[in-house]
Amino acid sequence: MALSRRLYLWAVLLASVLALLGGAIDLLYVVFQQAFSAQPRLNDSANLAFGQALAVVVVAAAVGIYHWLVLRSDATSRPPKGAQLAATVTIVPAAPAKLRPALEVAPGTHYELSVVGATEDDVHQALASLPPKASYKLLPSHSADN
């Protein structure tokens, strides 16, 4: 999930919680004002403030719940922090090269190497010291038993 998306979701959640708290305080103020009034009336102008505060609470709650669900959905679709993809590296010589006697290999020989716990950049850096005529192809492996 992109940083801008997470920042947006957290900012909207913060704004909705603040609006919810402000609306709830205003709602309680209007209720207590009517409850402790010497002569409470239904046609009092404070009752209009009750409707406005209730609308703020309902809208802020709906916006907050929606964005909270989106944030939770994004969090569950993300892989765990420690999980990394396993990579299978196939090294294919580009052309038969004159190798040192200690590394003599039959032309066209393929090696399969499994690397677990490294990023793609780590694998490229590790294989950077191959001979100039050697080549490799990096294929991601999605199986967990590699």
Side-chain angles (χ1 to χ4, degrees), residues 14 22 25 28 31 38 44 55 66 72 96 117 119 126 128 130 135 137 139 141 143:
L14 176 65
I25 289 170
L28 286 174
V31 168
D44 192 3
Y66 172 77
R72 298 295 298 159
T119 64
L130 287 174
S135 67
K137 183 171 40 173
L139 303 170
S141 172
S143 63

Side-chain angles (χ1 to χ4, degrees), residues 5-92:
R5 180 178 170 96
R6 278 186 285 178
L7 287 175
Y8 163 75
L9 289 171
W10 283 109
V12 170
L13 279 173
L14 176 65
S16 66
V17 166
L18 292 176
L20 185 68
L21 287 174
I25 289 170
D26 196 25
L27 195 65
L28 286 174
Y29 174 76
V30 171
V31 168
F32 286 146
Q33 185 180 15
Q34 283 292 329
F36 296 119
S37 175
Q39 296 178 352
R41 298 183 321 246
L42 286 175
N43 61 355
D44 192 3
S45 63
N47 291 337
L48 180 61
F50 178 83
Q52 291 171 341
L54 184 62
V56 168
V57 167
V58 169
V59 170
V63 168
I65 289 170
Y66 172 77
H67 284 84
W68 175 255
L69 292 174
V70 169
L71 189 67
R72 298 295 298 159
S73 172
D74 287 351
T76 57
S77 67
R78 199 173 4 163
K81 284 187 178 181
Q84 293 179 340
L85 291 177
T88 301
V89 177
T90 305
I91 301 173
V92 181

Side-chain angles (χ1 to χ4, degrees), residues 69-146:
L69 292 174
V70 169
L71 189 67
R72 298 295 298 159
S73 172
D74 287 351
T76 57
S77 67
R78 199 173 4 163
K81 284 187 178 181
Q84 293 179 340
L85 291 177
T88 301
V89 177
T90 305
I91 301 173
V92 181
K98 290 184 181 179
L99 301 175
R100 293 176 283 180
L103 298 174
E104 238 178 83
V105 178
T109 302
H110 298 281
Y111 297 98
E112 189 169 316
L113 170 68
S114 286
V115 179
V116 178
T119 64
E120 188 175 339
D121 290 336
D122 294 337
V123 173
H124 286 298
Q125 287 176 358
L127 296 176
S129 62
L130 287 174
K133 293 188 178 188
S135 67
Y136 66 93
K137 183 171 40 173
L138 187 63
L139 303 170
S141 172
H142 297 291
S143 63
D145 54 1
N146 280 343

